[in-house]
């Protein structure tokens, strides 16, 4: 009998699957609803029968049984809308960090049969719409990427009671579990490395200081310098973009022309800083050694290739997905957080 012979003209039912698999309808129902009590061999037979019959579960009926939608929201929250509203969308889809987060989430969500809906929030109206959507039960939980200290969304999301995890440094007083890299430890590694190269006039290009990650990296930078007995800390603030790094580097060189070491709070900004250094005729690392942060694709695109601090973004996002699924399947479990250890990746810039 061919597979086509097994396909009924009408939509396949649980009974059809049960007949082909040679099991009870109740067993098929347990497999379809992802119950853990089914013998693996029987589960495989039912899955083969589902494929053979073309059975498609009734998601609405299944949700009534499982009380789940098998979908989660990935919420990207920006500070209040800027001059050009579309620029937020553009930044999200061109930011290499965002792509790495999505990849890590899908690594865990796909095998679990969980879909992901992208939600972008950048003003009060979109925040209100998001909260309404979440409260109506359209998703089982949310992963939140929130980068600004004043963002009210982490607290508002925690008040909904919906399972949720923050991917990144938590802002404010929200009690949501989070997954983060040890920012200060990473910055300390960068400074220690520059000092090991006998650099003493070390400056930094920071990220925007309304962002928790940027604040942590700057605090770590000053503390690491102090640990080495260095009190002078030339600083210029950037915006986590290549253009912002180039401009911040111009300001630093104008005010502190004798720098021999530089820590940049992101690889993209470091890429811009290297372009400015090249235009000024400064050799890297001979005249000034440069260390970035992230270990993104931008680090390899730099000339010379960038020594940087690696934060394991994909692994961190996968852990965020696991934490979220754990909350969804066992709501009584207390929320937990996870902090990852960064590593120094040595290349040619320092």
């Amino acid at each position: 009998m061919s597979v086509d012979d097994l396909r009924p003209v009408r939509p396949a039912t649980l009974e059809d699957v049960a007949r082909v698999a040679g099991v009870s309808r109740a067993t098929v129902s347990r497999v379809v609803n992802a119950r853990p009590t089914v013998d693996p061999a029987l589960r495989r037979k039912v899955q083969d029968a589902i494929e053979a019959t073309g059975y498609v579960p009734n998601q609405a009926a299944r949700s009534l049984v499982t009380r789940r939608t098998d979908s989660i929201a990935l919420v990207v929250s920006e500070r209040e809308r800027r001059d050009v509203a579309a620029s937020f969308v553009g930044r999200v889809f061109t930011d290499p960090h965002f792509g790495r987060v999505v990849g890590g989430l899908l690594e865990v969500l796909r095998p679990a049969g969980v879909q992901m809906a992208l939600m972008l929030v950048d003003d009060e109206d979109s925040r209100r719409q998001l909260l309404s959507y979440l409260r109506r039960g359209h998703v089982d939980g949310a992963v939140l990427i929130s980068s600004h200290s004043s963002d009210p969304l982490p607290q508002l999301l925690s008040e909904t009671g919906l399972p949720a995890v923050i991917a990144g440094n938590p802002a404010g007083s929200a009690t949501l579990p989070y997954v983060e890299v040890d920012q200060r430890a990473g910055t300390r590694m960068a400074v220690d490395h520059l000092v090991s190269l006998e650099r003493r006039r070390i400056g930094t290009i920071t990220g925007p200081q309304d962002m928790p990650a940027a604040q942590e990296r700057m605090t770590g930078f000053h503390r690491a310098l102090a640990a080495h007995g260095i009190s002078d800390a030339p600083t210029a603030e950037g915006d986590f973009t290549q253009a912002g790094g180039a401009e911040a580097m111009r300001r630093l060189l104008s005010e502190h022309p004798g720098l021999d070491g530089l820590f940049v709070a992101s690889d993209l900004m470091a890429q811009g800083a290297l372009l400015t250094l090249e235009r000024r005729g400064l050799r890297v690392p001979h005249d000034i050694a440069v260390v970035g942060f992230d270990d993104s694709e931008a680090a390899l695109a730099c000339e010379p290739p960038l020594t940087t601090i690696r934060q394991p973004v994909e692994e961190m996002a996968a852990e965020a997905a696991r934490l979220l699924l754990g909350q969804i399947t066992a709501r009584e479990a207390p929320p937990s957080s996870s902090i990852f250890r960064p590593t120094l990746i040595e290349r040619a810039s320092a």
Side-chain angles (χ1 to χ4, degrees):
M1 179 181 292
S2 70
V3 169
D4 289 338
D5 292 331
L6 296 173
R7 296 187 186 274
V9 175
R10 57 177 172 74
T13 64
L14 286 178
E15 289 76 9
D16 296 322
V17 177
R19 185 178 66 257
V20 172
V23 299
S24 69
R25 183 186 187 282
T27 298
V28 175
S29 179
R30 288 197 296 272
V31 171
V32 169
N33 291 308
R35 301 294 190 191
T37 56
V38 182
D39 178 80
L42 284 179
R43 184 182 301 276
R44 181 69 261 172
K45 290 181 67 175
V46 171
Q47 289 169 339
D48 289 343
I50 288 173
E51 182 177 348
T53 60
Y55 173 72
V56 178
N58 183 319
Q59 186 59 42
R62 185 180 177 211
S63 295
L64 288 174
V65 174
T66 65
R67 298 183 182 274
R68 287 172 53 182
T69 66
D70 287 335
S71 63
I72 64 104
L74 173 58
V75 181
V76 183
S77 181
E78 173 68 278
R79 61 186 173 188
E80 292 301 311
R81 185 169 293 171
R82 301 180 184 179
D83 294 339
V84 181
S87 65
F88 174 34
V89 177
R91 286 195 303 277
V92 168
F93 286 103
T94 58
D95 185 347
H97 181 84
F98 175 73
R100 295 175 67 190
V101 170
V102 171
L105 291 171
L106 290 178
E107 181 181 323
V108 173
L109 296 176
R110 275 179 175 164
V114 176
Q115 301 300 312
M116 184 170 62
L118 176 63
M119 318 289 289
L120 304 180
V121 178
D122 65 346
D123 63 9
E124 182 62 31
D125 286 342
S126 59
R127 195 156 44 238
R128 188 181 303 110
Q129 291 171 8
L130 168 73
L131 292 170
S132 175
Y133 180 86
L134 297 180
R135 289 189 180 108
R136 291 200 302 269
H138 292 297
V139 294
D140 300 320
V143 173
L144 173 62
I145 301 175
S146 176
S147 58
H148 295 276
S149 300
S150 60
D151 189 354
L153 192 54
Q155 181 61 37
L156 293 172
L157 187 55
S158 68
E159 292 171 359
T160 68
L162 186 76
V165 175
I166 299 177
N169 202 309
S173 58
T175 57
L176 296 176
Y178 63 90
V179 178
E180 176 63 304
V181 71
D182 189 334
Q183 306 280 359
R184 295 188 187 186
T187 307
R188 185 168 60 249
M189 290 176 185
V191 172
D192 289 349
H193 181 66
L194 289 168
V195 171
S196 75
L197 299 175
E198 300 184 350
R199 309 303 167 114
R200 302 291 294 181
R201 299 183 302 278
I202 303 171
T204 184
I205 296 175
T206 74
Q209 289 304 294
D210 61 346
M211 301 176 70
Q215 294 167 358
E216 286 290 293
R217 292 174 196 180
M218 188 176 75
T219 298
F221 174 76
H222 285 284
R223 290 187 178 182
L225 282 185
H228 288 287
I230 303 173
S231 57
D232 187 27
T235 302
E237 184 174 327
D239 61 0
F240 284 144
T241 69
Q242 181 177 330
E247 173 56 31
M249 189 73 253
R250 285 191 285 270
R251 295 198 306 272
L252 266 183
L253 291 176
S254 175
E255 298 170 9
H256 306 276
L259 292 178
D260 62 6
L262 178 69
F263 167 65
V264 189
S266 81
D267 293 345
L268 271 178
M269 290 196 300
Q271 193 173 27
L274 289 174
L275 292 173
T276 295
L277 291 171
E278 182 182 15
R279 294 184 186 116
R280 296 292 180 90
L282 293 170
R283 297 165 296 171
V284 177
H286 184 273
D287 298 319
I288 180 170
V290 180
V291 179
F293 200 110
D294 287 332
D295 194 28
S296 64
E297 292 181 2
L300 293 174
C302 287
E303 183 55 45
L306 186 67
T307 293
T308 188
I309 302 301
R310 181 178 188 269
Q311 55 172 334
V313 176
E314 291 85 355
E315 294 93 327
M316 291 161 60
E319 177 64 10
R322 282 189 286 268
L323 287 178
L324 182 61
L325 293 182
Q327 287 186 66
I328 291 169
T329 57
R331 287 178 180 250
E332 72 280 0
S336 58
S337 298
S338 182
I339 299 177
F340 281 69
R341 179 79 177 170
T343 53
L344 174 71
I345 305 299
E346 294 187 53
R347 298 192 180 97
S349 69

